[in-house]
Amino acid sequence: VKTIYLLSTSNPAALVATFHLTPINAEARVQTRMRLAKTQDVVTLAELSNGSLAIATTLVKVTIGGCAS
């Protein structure tokens, strides 16, 4: 994996993060945090070393006031 793009489908600016990887990383794994105002799909797009693309989409549910007792 050369590059990982993280996108949010309901954000005004869809591109949340871009990670550039090199062979020294050994494993294509990243971690980040993002704030979402409402439930939406988060899309991960990976550009592989051979130029092909892989995509995964996950629905992230946002709960307002989730810490209330």
Side-chain angles (χ1 to χ4, degrees):
V1 175
K2 292 187 335 183
T3 310
I4 297 173
Y5 302 95
L6 201 59
L7 302 106
S8 170
T9 58
S10 293
N11 270 3
L15 183 61
V16 174
T18 303
F19 302 94
H20 299 282
L21 306 174
T22 64
I24 200 165
N25 295 109
E27 186 176 350
R29 181 180 292 214
V30 297
Q31 182 176 340
T32 192
R33 302 180 99 185
M34 72 176 84
R35 294 182 73 140
L36 303 173
K38 62 182 183 176
T39 298
Q40 58 192 284
D41 286 325
V42 173
V43 180
T44 304
L45 181 65
E47 181 182 359
L48 306 180
S49 299
N50 64 5
S52 64
L53 299 173
I55 190 169
T57 303
T58 301
L59 179 65
V60 177
K61 294 190 179 197
V62 174
T63 303
I64 305 300
C67 295
S69 54

